[in-house]
């Protein structure tokens, strides 16, 4: 049977939290998916941990060298057979109804191509703190993109063809997700949205590379912000009015 969803999760030296991440996907209430795990040249016990799972939905791919997130994710996208693609990170935990709720949203909103969710922040011990959400509508997300990434990357579920047609920029090793959302937000044929419910526990640790605000990452983010400002200036009057209206209604 062809899976409805392809879950794509690159992992590099993720032994510490990997089991929790995998279990949170396998325990989803929605069952018809394949789980593509890309071991990106790990040197720890990542491979051994993955191979302890015998679930037939797992598809294990192994990069012999560390290629980076962008290349690994594109490899997973190319291998995906599902109608939808969901992202996952190896140090996060998906809520059990995440796929069910995102799939219901996409099917009831056929104009939307990619949907993210709010997140609950957890620390290295899994202790939760605050919930953080992003704006809900495509127009609001354009405004958000002037300042920071408009989607939490590991929460997204997308129409597979959109990601297959718009791969990650493999020259980037920082803010590659921000660059992709920036590209798609100003593509008139693609619509993005967010759910306000936190459907993922988003782990922030001192060691998590993707969470670090190192100088290179800050510079890459700034370049995306500048690009988005330039594209924002080129918006139609109607689009600008919608953004202003949405900001007024949010207070």
């Amino acid at each position: 049977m062809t899976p409805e969803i392809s879950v794509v999760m690159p992992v590099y030296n993720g032994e510490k939290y990997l089991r929790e991440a995998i279990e949170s996907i396998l325990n989803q209430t929605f069952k018809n998916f394949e789980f593509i795990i890309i071991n990106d040249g790990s040197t720890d016990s990542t491979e051994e941990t993955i191979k302890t799972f015998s679930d037939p939905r797992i598809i294990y791919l192994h990069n012999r060298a560390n290629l980076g997130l962008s290349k690994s994710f594109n490899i997973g996208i190319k291998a995906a057979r599902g109608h939808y693609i969901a992202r996952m990170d190896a140090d996060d935990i998906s809520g059990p109804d995440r796929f069910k709720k995102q799939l219901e949203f996409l099917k009831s909103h056929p104009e939307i191509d990619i949907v993210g969710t709010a997140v609950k922040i957890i620390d290295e011990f899994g202790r939760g703190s605050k919930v953080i959400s992003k704006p809900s509508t495509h127009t609001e997300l354009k405004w958000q993109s002037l300042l920071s990434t408009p989607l939490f990357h590991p929460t997204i579920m997308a129409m597979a063809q959109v990601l297959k047609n718009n791969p990650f920029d493999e020259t980037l090793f920082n803010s590659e997700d921000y660059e992709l959302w920036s590209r798609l937000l100003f593509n008139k044929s693609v619509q993005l949205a967010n759910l306000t419910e936190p459907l993922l526990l988003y782990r922030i640790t001192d060691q998590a590379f993707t969470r670090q605000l190192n100088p290179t990452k800050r510079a890459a983010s700034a370049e995306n912000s500048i690009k988005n400002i330039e594209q924002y200036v080129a918006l139609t009057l109607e689009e600008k009015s919608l953004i202003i209206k949405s900001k007024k209604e949010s207070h």
Side-chain angles (χ1 to χ4, degrees):
M1 179 172 64
T2 302
E4 189 155 16
I5 299 171
S6 295
V7 187
V8 177
M9 186 180 77
V11 52
Y12 174 67
N13 287 350
E15 61 182 5
K16 187 171 183 180
Y17 306 112
L18 182 58
R19 183 169 297 279
E20 280 184 288
I22 293 175
E23 288 175 347
S24 76
I25 296 300
L26 298 180
N27 292 331
Q28 290 291 303
T29 55
F30 181 85
K31 303 296 185 184
N32 183 18
F33 61 83
E34 63 180 0
F35 188 8
I36 302 170
I37 304 176
I38 305 101
N39 178 3
D40 189 22
S42 297
T43 57
D44 63 359
S45 64
T46 286
E47 181 168 61
E48 289 77 6
T49 300
I50 295 169
K51 289 186 174 181
T52 63
F53 292 89
S54 58
D55 194 299
R57 293 173 294 181
I58 292 177
I59 297 172
Y60 178 51
L61 304 179
H62 190 186
N63 300 337
R64 295 302 170 184
N66 179 234
L67 303 180
L69 180 61
S70 296
K71 290 183 179 180
S72 295
F73 190 44
N74 286 341
I75 288 170
I77 290 173
K78 289 177 183 177
R81 297 179 297 138
H83 188 60
Y84 303 91
I85 291 175
R87 265 287 279 128
M88 183 61 183
D89 274 349
D91 54 356
D92 295 328
I93 300 172
S94 285
D97 291 328
R98 177 192 160 193
F99 292 170
K100 175 179 178 290
K101 291 181 176 181
Q102 287 184 288
L103 192 58
E104 287 174 350
F105 177 85
L106 288 172
K107 288 187 173 182
S108 62
H109 297 80
E111 75 281 7
I112 301 298
D113 300 285
I114 301 175
V115 62
T117 80
V119 299
K120 183 175 183 179
I121 303 298
I122 60 172
D123 65 13
E124 59 183 316
F125 304 106
R127 297 177 300 207
S129 55
K130 60 184 177 180
V131 171
I132 302 178
S133 61
K134 299 282 189 180
S136 300
T137 69
H138 186 87
T139 302
E140 291 174 307
L141 293 178
K142 281 186 176 180
W143 179 269
Q144 173 75 35
S145 73
L146 302 182
L147 306 172
S148 64
T149 183
L151 301 169
F152 290 109
H153 189 191
T155 72
I156 69 105
M157 182 180 289
M159 302 295 294
Q161 205 56 48
V162 171
L163 294 183
K164 287 178 181 289
N165 292 341
N166 299 276
F168 280 90
D169 184 341
E170 295 185 357
T171 67
L172 296 178
F173 290 90
N174 288 279
S175 297
E176 59 287 315
D177 57 323
Y178 190 6
E179 188 280 332
L180 178 59
W181 314 142
S182 298
R183 205 185 325 148
L184 295 178
L185 274 169
F186 293 90
N187 181 333
K188 294 185 183 299
S189 65
V190 178
Q191 291 286 308
L192 281 63
N194 275 312
L195 302 182
T196 57
E197 183 178 358
L199 298 178
L200 181 115
L201 301 181
Y202 189 76
R203 196 185 306 270
I204 294 183
T205 69
D206 292 338
Q207 290 75 36
F209 172 77
T210 58
R211 315 289 199 250
Q212 291 173 3
L213 292 177
N214 55 67
T216 304
K217 190 174 182 67
R218 286 198 297 269
S221 294
E223 289 174 1
N224 277 314
S225 294
I226 291 168
K227 183 192 303 179
N228 292 344
I229 289 170
E230 291 172 344
Q231 295 187 95
Y232 174 75
V233 171
L235 291 178
T236 66
L237 181 60
E238 179 184 6
E239 288 173 317
K240 291 178 182 179
S241 297
L242 285 171
I243 290 175
I244 293 169
K245 182 174 183 288
S246 71
K247 295 302 290 182
K248 285 181 178 178
E249 293 175 349
S250 66
H251 292 288

